[in-house]
Amino acid sequence: MASPVEQFAIQNLTAPLFSIGGNHIAVTNSAVFMMAAVAVSSVLLVAGASRGAMIPGRFQAMSELFYEFIANMIRDNVGNAGKKFFPFIFTLFIFTLFGNLLGLLPYGFTFTSHIAVTFFMALVVFLAVTLIGIFKHGLHFFSLFFPHGAPLFTAPILIPIEIVSYLSRPISLSVRLFANMTVGHVLLKVLAGFVVALGIFGVVPLVVLVAITALEVLIALLQAYIFTILCCIYLNDALHLH
Amino acid sequence: MPQFDVSSFPSQIFWLVVCFAVLYAIMATLVLPRIGSTVEARERKIQSDLDAAQQANDAARATAAAQDKALAEARGRAEAHIRAASDAAAAETSAQMHAVGSRLAADITAAERRIGEQQTQAMAGLTGMAAEIASAVLGKLVGSADGAQIARAVDAAAKAGKR
């Protein structure tokens, strides 16, 4: 039987197209699912956005649901200053969401189960947010590392703690998504192995498998939401400090 | 785990950047402005409909208030008319009653006076007649009568009778 982690293997589907800095870039299974996420989400959303009817149909209602969901998230967590970042945060949510969901299809590949992808996204967000904060507040931005109103003598303890906590943000952000996706798919694979191994009694793990699949859909939605809302909260910290 | 195979990282990051950029471009140009304008147009439409409804409601309220006021004024005028008419009728009735009453009182007084006169006359005639009857009776009984004495006796009898 295949190892439960074999599903995460990156496979080149074409010969290397070109190379960047000595690294050969080929179309991989991960790349195909990223393209699929872009294609599926774009088709759904463009179809939903193009009609612009006063009374929305199914696709339009779904598109507007996503739009209002992210717009409200930004309004509640960042405020008016966050409007400029709406397209980026919306794209981040849609890309993560469709990556998580398409990975649940049979024979699918979950690109969000790779630390390289999640960490790169988290790192870009982290660096962008830090630069926005420094650009907006100058040196005052570093007051983020010392909670307002804390006694001065606690500074030697608090400031290192705050710095470590700040620097660990991209790690916690990326590991949360990567670990949730990986563990979920490993669990599904292991349970599926039991279904085959137990023969007729495989019905029992099969029932569990169905339930866990439903749970994984929930986790796919939830982790996309958590990833996005944490980015909003980090952005809010940078824009408004504490 | 394949996730920690560093050799796949450049390829993954490359495709991530490309796909994310494409998705961002599509969202920022084709999707979000359109949904945004649709949502805004809907909000404006709802707001303008609500405003129109509010205006219509206000107008209806104003009309109802004007109607109530006109109704109250008309009722007030009607009541004044009724009061004036009934006052006039009452005044006329009482004047007529008064006139009729005083005429009747005058008639009654005149009639009473006439009755009194006739009574006095009748009484006076009665005394004379009583005296004649008495003298005639006395003439038959005793043969002669003193007229003056008889008149005095009749008078005294009439006085005693009246008492």
Side-chain angles (χ1 to χ4, degrees):
Chain A
M1 198 178 71
S3 152
V5 292
E6 204 179 289
Q7 58 178 321
F8 301 113
I10 305 271
Q11 286 151 8
N12 285 358
L13 303 178
T14 62
L17 303 174
F18 49 87
S19 71
I20 298 171
N23 299 297
H24 297 294
I25 308 290
V27 177
T28 61
N29 49 354
S30 169
V32 167
F33 270 82
M34 286 184 193
M35 293 175 202
V38 171
V40 171
S41 60
S42 295
V43 166
L44 286 176
L45 289 169
V46 170
S50 55
R51 216 156 63 89
M54 273 294 121
I55 300 163
R58 295 187 191 88
F59 283 101
Q60 195 184 332
M62 186 196 66
S63 306
E64 285 177 8
L65 193 74
F66 282 133
Y67 181 96
E68 301 267 1
F69 180 63
I70 300 297
N72 288 338
M73 189 194 284
I74 293 175
R75 195 180 308 128
D76 294 346
N77 292 293
V78 190
N80 273 335
K83 274 185 179 163
K84 278 184 293 190
F85 307 100
F86 178 51
F88 180 82
I89 289 169
F90 188 81
T91 309
L92 198 65
F93 176 70
I94 292 294
F95 192 68
T96 316
L97 177 68
F98 279 80
N100 292 352
L101 287 175
L102 289 178
L104 284 171
L105 293 175
Y107 300 105
F109 180 88
T110 322
F111 59 80
T112 45
S113 68
H114 273 262
I115 187 74
V117 171
T118 60
F119 188 72
F120 188 77
M121 290 200 290
L123 192 66
V124 168
V125 169
F126 174 76
L127 290 178
V129 157
T130 307
L131 288 176
I132 288 165
I134 291 173
F135 188 73
K136 190 172 162 68
H137 298 288
L139 288 176
H140 194 58
F141 172 73
F142 295 102
S143 71
L144 197 61
F145 299 125
F146 188 65
H148 184 71
L152 202 62
F153 67 86
T154 57
I157 308 164
L158 275 179
I159 290 175
I161 290 174
E162 289 289 330
I163 290 175
V164 168
S165 126
Y166 189 77
L167 292 178
S168 63
R169 277 176 175 187
I171 299 164
S172 68
L173 187 60
S174 58
V175 168
R176 185 181 295 111
L177 179 58
F178 144 75
N180 269 287
M181 289 299 119
T182 303
V183 167
H185 283 269
V186 168
L187 187 62
L188 290 176
K189 192 78 171 182
V190 169
L191 280 170
F194 283 145
V195 174
V196 176
L198 291 179
I200 187 71
F201 298 107
V203 174
V204 179
L206 183 64
V207 170
V208 178
L209 193 62
V210 170
I212 298 286
T213 306
L215 181 70
E216 285 304 316
V217 172
L218 176 71
I219 289 174
L221 298 167
L222 194 66
Q223 288 303 323
Y225 169 70
I226 290 173
F227 193 87
T228 317
I229 200 166
L230 282 173
C231 290
C232 288
I233 289 167
Y234 297 161
L235 183 62
N236 183 49
D237 278 352
L239 288 174
H240 303 119
L241 299 178
H242 276 302
Chain B
M1 275 174 94
Q3 277 91 334
F4 301 118
D5 174 11
V6 178
S7 70
S8 72
F9 283 14
S11 155
Q12 287 193 64
I13 291 167
F14 169 79
W15 289 113
L16 171 65
V17 170
V18 170
C19 291
F20 196 92
V22 170
L23 188 65
Y24 181 88
I26 294 170
M27 293 299 135
T29 57
L30 293 177
V31 174
L32 297 178
R34 289 185 193 175
I35 298 180
S37 64
T38 306
V39 169
E40 260 175 41
R42 183 179 300 123
E43 269 168 16
R44 270 202 305 277
K45 170 102 173 92
I46 289 170
Q47 196 53 54
S48 74
D49 284 1
L50 283 178
D51 288 349
Q54 184 64 47
Q55 273 171 7
N57 195 13
D58 289 349
R61 270 177 209 286
T63 310
Q67 199 205 359
D68 281 353
K69 198 164 156 248
L71 207 62
E73 277 173 8
R75 187 171 291 129
R77 275 203 305 277
E79 272 169 9
H81 277 307
I82 290 168
R83 204 177 300 117
S86 85
D87 283 355
E92 199 184 336
T93 307
S94 83
Q96 277 177 2
M97 289 282 277
H98 194 71
V100 170
S102 59
R103 207 176 63 230
L104 283 179
D107 285 357
I108 289 167
T109 318
E112 275 174 354
R113 203 178 57 238
R114 249 190 348 267
I115 290 168
E117 278 168 7
Q118 282 176 359
Q119 198 174 18
T120 325
Q121 240 169 26
M123 288 304 281
L126 204 62
T127 315
M129 212 187 303
E132 275 173 30
I133 292 167
S135 67
V137 169
L138 276 176
K140 288 268 169 72
L141 286 178
V142 288
S144 74
D146 182 359
Q149 207 175 357
I150 287 167
R152 272 201 308 275
V154 167
D155 272 349
K159 270 174 194 151
K162 262 182 195 168
R163 222 173 273 136

